[in-house]
């Protein structure tokens, strides 16, 4: 059984159909990537899975349970968390308080403190800046904070929306290496990316999204060597 199954999903903004009946699945233990260019519908798909944008048709099934009508905070409690596009940290709060917000589904204060320490171990820069206001962090630091905050809920499935966006090549490498580590430690990953080369390099399987439709799917390694993918997404 897939951990996440999306069946014939259709999403509209008013009369405009952004997602046109897509189906895909993520199995436990996989890194699956959804690649596509600007405006293909990647963010809409992720927001719809998280219950932030309603699906007009189709089913979203997490761990065997239909979640179309489940509110976002309940979905987080069920074990699925997202790192939204543009890193959306709480700009006016400190690094520490942002991490605390990530633990809003938890009640055990001692455990929350331990979890914050383990985020600091993974992202030492956040520890150095724990009292700094998040809005004053660099783009890379905000990405780390957004990831750290998501990890505070101990997701079984972590969804990342364009974690490489706006980062220097060095930071992109760092972020992807952290995603690989999180995966190795047992978290299933759904990675939404415009940077197809990087995403395909770490994923097991991939789906290509184009103007609201899935147009290709396969093993990530196979797609990385596919001429159509090379031409459309890998610069030749
Ligand atoms: P990007 O990488 O630019 O974020 P994306 O693949 O994530 O692109 P979406 O943001 O999901 O794409 O957008 C899919 C389509 O839906 C686009 O045509 C976009 O213009 C449209 N869209 C997105 N948000 C809204 C909105 N709030 N109202 C109307 N149309 C929207």
């Amino acid at each position: 059984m897939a951990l996440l199954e999306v069946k014939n999903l259709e999403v509209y903004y008013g009369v405009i159909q952004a997602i046109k009946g897509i189906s895909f699945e993520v199995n436990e233990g996989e890194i699956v990537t959804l690649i596509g260019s600007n405006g293909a519908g990647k963010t809409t798909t992720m927001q719809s899975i998280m219950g932030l944008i309603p699906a007009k048709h189709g089913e979203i099934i997490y761990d065997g349970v239909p979640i179309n009508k489940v509110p976002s905070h309940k979905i987080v409690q069920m074990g699925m968390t997202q790192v939204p596009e543009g890193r959306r940290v709480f700009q006016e709060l400190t690094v520490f308080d942002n991490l605390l917000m990530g633990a809003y589904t938890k009640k055990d204060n001692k455990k929350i403190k331990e979890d914050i320490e383990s985020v600091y171990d993974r992202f030492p820069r956040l520890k150095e800046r724990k009292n700094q206001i998040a809005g004053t962090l660099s783009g890379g630091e905000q990405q780390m904070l957004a990831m750290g905050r998501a990890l505070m809920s101990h997701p079984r499935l972590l969804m990342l929306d364009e974690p490489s966006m706006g980062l220097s090549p060095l930071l992109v490498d760092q972020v992807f290496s952290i995603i690989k580590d999180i995966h190795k430690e047992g978290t299933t990953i759904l990675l939404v990316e415009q940077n197809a080369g990087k995403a395909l390099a770490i994923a097991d399987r991939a789906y290509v999204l184009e103007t609201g439709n899935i147009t290709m799917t396969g093993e990530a390694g196979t797609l990385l060597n596919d001429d159509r993918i090379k031409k459309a997404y890998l610069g030749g």
Side-chain angles (χ1 to χ4, degrees):
M1 187 184 70
L3 182 55
L4 175 69
E5 202 176 348
V6 173
K7 286 192 202 167
N8 302 315
L9 177 68
E10 293 184 36
V11 184
Y12 285 73
Y13 292 106
V15 294
I16 297 172
Q17 186 170 20
I19 301 298
K20 300 172 181 164
I22 64 170
S23 299
F24 65 94
E25 60 189 39
V26 182
N27 297 307
E28 183 113 54
E30 282 188 311
I31 300 184
V32 170
T33 185
L34 199 57
I35 55 174
S37 41
N38 245 326
K42 304 180 299 298
T43 300
T44 304
T45 302
M46 187 164 285
Q47 301 289 73
S48 186
I49 293 170
M50 281 309 293
L52 297 165
I53 303 176
K56 179 125 183 198
H57 294 293
E59 278 182 282
I60 302 164
I61 301 164
Y62 172 78
D63 202 17
V65 179
I67 56 166
N68 290 48
K69 301 270 185 296
V70 176
S72 305
H73 69 278
K74 286 261 163 59
I75 295 178
V76 174
Q77 278 169 5
M78 290 168 79
M80 184 157 58
T81 302
Q82 70 156 344
V83 179
E85 187 183 24
R87 344 189 223 275
R88 308 259 170 76
V89 293
F90 299 102
Q91 297 282 318
E92 290 84 33
L93 298 184
T94 62
V95 167
F96 177 84
D97 286 340
N98 264 278
L99 293 177
L100 214 49
M101 297 293 273
Y104 73 96
T105 58
K106 311 279 172 197
K107 292 200 171 65
D108 178 346
N109 284 336
K110 185 163 166 270
K111 180 80 177 63
I112 292 172
K113 275 210 176 114
E114 284 169 14
D115 287 346
I116 289 183
E117 283 307 318
S118 84
V119 169
Y120 287 158
D121 288 344
R122 192 187 295 281
F123 303 106
R125 181 65 76 95
L126 295 183
K127 184 168 191 171
E128 286 165 26
R129 294 171 184 261
K130 61 182 171 191
N131 296 319
Q132 188 168 325
I133 300 296
T136 65
L137 296 172
S138 72
E141 290 161 353
Q142 289 192 32
Q143 182 62 50
M144 308 282 173
L145 180 55
M147 289 170 74
R149 187 183 59 188
L151 290 174
M152 289 294 295
S153 67
H154 290 280
R156 188 167 160 202
L157 174 60
L158 179 65
M159 300 198 291
L160 298 123
D161 193 353
E162 296 203 30
S164 75
M165 194 174 61
L167 301 184
S168 68
L170 191 70
L171 274 171
V172 171
D173 286 347
Q174 263 184 33
V175 164
F176 275 81
S177 140
I178 290 165
I179 296 170
K180 274 202 282 190
D181 288 346
I182 294 169
H183 173 249
K184 262 195 222 132
E185 290 158 23
T187 308
T188 304
I189 309 264
L190 175 59
L191 173 64
V192 164
E193 259 299 342
Q194 245 185 84
N195 189 334
K198 287 280 175 198
L200 290 172
I202 67 163
D204 298 300
R205 292 187 305 111
Y207 295 88
V208 179
L209 192 61
E210 286 175 356
T211 55
N213 290 298
I214 286 176
T215 53
M216 273 180 91
T217 178
E219 300 282 324
T222 309
L223 292 192
L224 203 50
N225 291 306
D226 185 282
D227 284 341
R228 283 165 296 173
I229 296 286
K230 281 188 189 163
K231 201 156 170 258
Y233 299 101
L234 304 172

